[in-house]
Amino acid sequence: MTYLETAAQFYREVAETPQVGLCCVQSTPLQLPGLKIPLPMQEMNYGCGTTVHPTELGNQPTVLYVGVGGGLEALQFAYFSRHAGAVIAVEPVGAMREAAARNLEIAAQENPWFDTSFVEIREGDAFNLPVADLRVDIVAQNCLFNIFEPEDLTRALKEAYRVLKPGGRLQMSDPIATSQIPAHLQQDERLRAMCLSGALTYQEYTEKITNAGFGQVEIRARRPYRLLDSQTYNLKEHLLLESLDSVSFKVAIPEDGACIFTGKTAVYAGSEPFFDDSAGHVLQLGIPAAVCDKTAAKLAAIKPAEIIVTNSTWHYSGGGCC
């Protein structure tokens, strides 16, 4: 079988017999007023983080969710967009589509506000999304794209870019590797399907996103995910995987490169009331200003004795500048 066929078989198994924690580290579902998550959805919560950011889901966005799983995040997105076809859930595995549909029926019984018409489950995959160009406000996926080999990841990212409206957002949660995963693990199709051996490094992952055309990337969370210990996985030393939550915007890439926000700030500590670099960045004396990594490096180079750049917090939720 190809690695994608192995992954499909794996997810067919865990759709038919949910196994808590089998695939990915469990993440606690968001607690939202009036939202009850059915137990079967919780048991099929195979995500490694979250793609649902409540403060940014006003105006009832149309969401394309790639890899529906048990339907948990599709339901969460529908909480904010309560109309027919608000969430389009694309899933290649028939058993998983059936499980998600059953779970959404239960959700409709347990949540008076929810109607199953809010989530439309479609057969399809990340490489050929069954949606027209410029159709949706958000594309989301949780712990799926890391399974793809690099060439297929590029295809999936470009497909997401295609269906997004200008200014739309790609919201992802994926494992990343703190160092290169050795070839013998990358070639293990079962481990890849389990989200344990296909992860790229942070640098490789973000480069894939910006190379697909996304001009701004914001890191919302970065946390430990799983340890590949040296004895079990035949490694020279332990290898830590991390979970990365990100939001990437379909905006033009500036001439000097894409903007990636990781929670850095720049602080002016000179003798004047403020510093103006004549390129759109004004720093007031002693007040941290959120900036992208690219701008942080430029400002630090201009006045290394007077501009302090803080370390990445690996959390950013707006308010900065490139």
Side-chain angles (χ1 to χ4, degrees), residues 3-269:
Y3 85 94
L4 291 172
E5 290 170 335
T6 299
Q9 176 179 301
F10 176 81
Y11 285 102
R12 187 178 304 112
E13 293 170 4
V14 299
E16 295 172 346
T17 307
Q19 299 184 40
V20 176
L22 174 65
C23 172
C24 303
V25 169
Q26 293 287 289
S27 55
T28 303
L30 290 175
Q31 302 299 309
L32 298 167
L35 172 62
K36 185 174 181 180
I37 306 293
L39 180 59
M41 277 188 180
Q42 297 181 43
E43 293 175 343
M44 295 178 67
N45 178 19
Y46 303 135
C48 63
T50 185
T51 68
V52 183
H53 306 292
T55 59
E56 303 167 47
L57 294 173
N59 302 317
Q60 301 197 71
T62 300
V63 179
L64 172 62
Y65 198 88
V66 188
V68 68
L72 189 152
E73 289 199 330
L75 175 64
Q76 291 175 332
F77 275 116
Y79 179 90
F80 297 95
S81 296
R82 302 183 182 187
H83 59 85
V87 180
I88 303 166
V90 177
E91 172 61 53
V93 179
M96 194 66 80
R97 293 195 302 272
E98 294 171 4
R102 289 195 302 269
N103 292 345
L104 290 168
E105 290 283 356
I106 299 172
Q109 297 170 15
E110 298 182 354
N111 294 272
W113 59 267
F114 178 67
D115 189 284
T116 55
S117 68
F118 296 173
V119 179
E120 179 185 346
I121 301 177
R122 298 183 185 178
E123 181 177 2
D125 59 48
F127 315 124
N128 298 281
L129 296 173
V131 176
D133 295 358
L134 312 176
R135 169 69 174 80
V136 300
D137 301 296
I138 295 171
V139 173
Q141 68 84 20
N142 195 330
C143 210
L144 170 64
F145 282 16
N146 76 98
I147 293 174
F148 300 149
E149 293 183 348
E151 299 80 7
D152 288 336
L153 174 57
T154 294
R155 292 170 58 200
L157 291 170
K158 289 183 176 179
E159 265 294 273
Y161 188 91
R162 175 185 67 80
V163 302
L164 280 169
K165 298 175 183 177
R169 310 191 298 275
L170 173 61
Q171 304 186 179
M172 303 194 291
S173 182
D174 266 320
I176 58 171
T178 52
S179 62
Q180 290 283 347
I181 294 180
H184 75 277
L185 295 183
Q186 292 185 36
Q187 294 163 6
D188 188 316
E189 295 180 354
R190 186 75 174 182
L191 287 181
R192 182 177 284 273
M194 294 173 66
C195 306
L196 291 177
S197 68
L200 300 176
T201 64
Y202 168 80
Q203 187 65 32
E204 292 169 334
Y205 186 77
T206 52
E207 282 181 0
K208 285 284 186 183
I209 296 171
T210 57
N211 287 344
F214 293 92
Q216 182 166 317
V217 181
E218 300 178 359
I219 304 304
R220 298 302 166 81
R222 183 174 178 175
R223 62 181 76 83
Y225 164 69
R226 190 73 65 85
L227 182 73
L228 304 183
D229 67 273
S230 58
Q231 182 173 349
T232 302
Y233 295 96
N234 190 25
L235 299 168
K236 293 181 179 178
E237 58 185 10
H238 301 325
L239 198 162
L240 178 66
L241 303 183
E242 297 177 322
S243 173
L244 190 78
D245 293 356
S246 64
V247 179
S248 303
F249 291 78
K250 186 177 180 177
V251 296
I253 298 178
E255 291 184 2
D256 59 350
C259 302
I260 300 180
F261 287 87
T262 63
K264 288 185 176 180
T265 67
V267 190
Y268 175 57

